[in-house]
Amino acid sequence: MPQRPWPLFPLALALVLTTPPRVESQNVSYRVVVHVSNPITRLTREQVSQIFLRKIALWDNRRPVLPVDRAPDSPIRRSFTKQVHRRSIASVQTYWQQQTFAGRGVAPPERASDADVLAYIRQFPNGVGYVDADASLGTDIKVVIVTP
């Protein structure tokens, strides 16, 4: 009598059902953006980090830098924080809690969507933010080149 592969089927099914799904950290592509009236065209990764940690407070034209962040649960923020700050979101939040408690500064405002970030920059031309690489920017927003 030929052997059937069926005795292995319940074992394979049990393995599939008990193996936890893989959760991978997904990097989302983003672009750093400013208003077209801002003369900045290029920043280093370190400069961008310092801007969003409010360690750089003025643009080269002596106008205030107004960074705007995405919400902490945003995949774009996760990628931005990992690549620019080289920290976790929790680490950056702890930094801001310490800064706020010490009276040295407050975190940038947070916006929930690309459209909200772009609206902030349109309202505050000294603003700087980051949006999904595929976001439609319009004619009044430009991309800043970020170098390593």
Side-chain angles (χ1 to χ4, degrees):
M1 184 163 166
Q3 287 188 341
R4 296 183 188 186
W6 295 108
L8 295 177
F9 180 73
L11 179 61
L13 182 61
L15 184 60
V16 168
L17 294 177
T18 59
T19 303
R22 281 180 48 187
V23 178
E24 294 185 22
S25 175
Q26 195 174 27
N27 282 332
V28 177
S29 296
Y30 60 87
R31 296 184 288 181
V32 174
V33 293
V34 296
H35 194 268
V36 292
S37 64
N38 189 320
I40 294 297
T41 59
R42 178 181 304 264
L43 294 167
T44 67
R45 180 206 58 81
E46 182 63 24
Q47 287 173 315
V48 174
S49 178
Q50 290 178 351
I51 285 170
F52 279 82
L53 295 176
R54 295 195 191 253
K55 293 179 178 181
I56 294 177
L58 299 173
W59 293 113
D60 290 343
N61 63 7
R62 310 310 294 163
R63 300 216 182 253
V65 176
L66 303 173
V68 58
D69 244 331
R70 291 293 302 269
D73 61 346
S74 164
I76 293 172
R77 174 135 175 213
R78 193 171 22 258
S79 292
F80 176 85
T81 302
K82 179 180 173 185
Q83 293 171 12
V84 171
H85 297 303
R86 297 186 175 162
R87 298 180 179 189
S88 67
I89 291 174
S91 173
V92 173
Q93 288 174 322
T94 298
Y95 166 82
W96 281 116
Q97 288 170 348
Q98 293 168 346
Q99 294 298 303
T100 302
F101 184 74
R104 290 190 291 244
V106 295
E110 296 174 350
R111 296 295 183 262
S113 69
D114 290 337
D116 293 340
V117 169
L118 297 173
Y120 178 92
I121 294 171
R122 287 181 180 106
Q123 182 179 358
F124 303 104
N126 293 327
V128 57
Y130 51 93
V131 296
D132 189 287
D134 296 328
S136 177
L137 304 180
T139 58
D140 53 349
I141 304 289
K142 69 179 181 181
V143 176
V144 174
I145 297 167
V146 179
T147 60

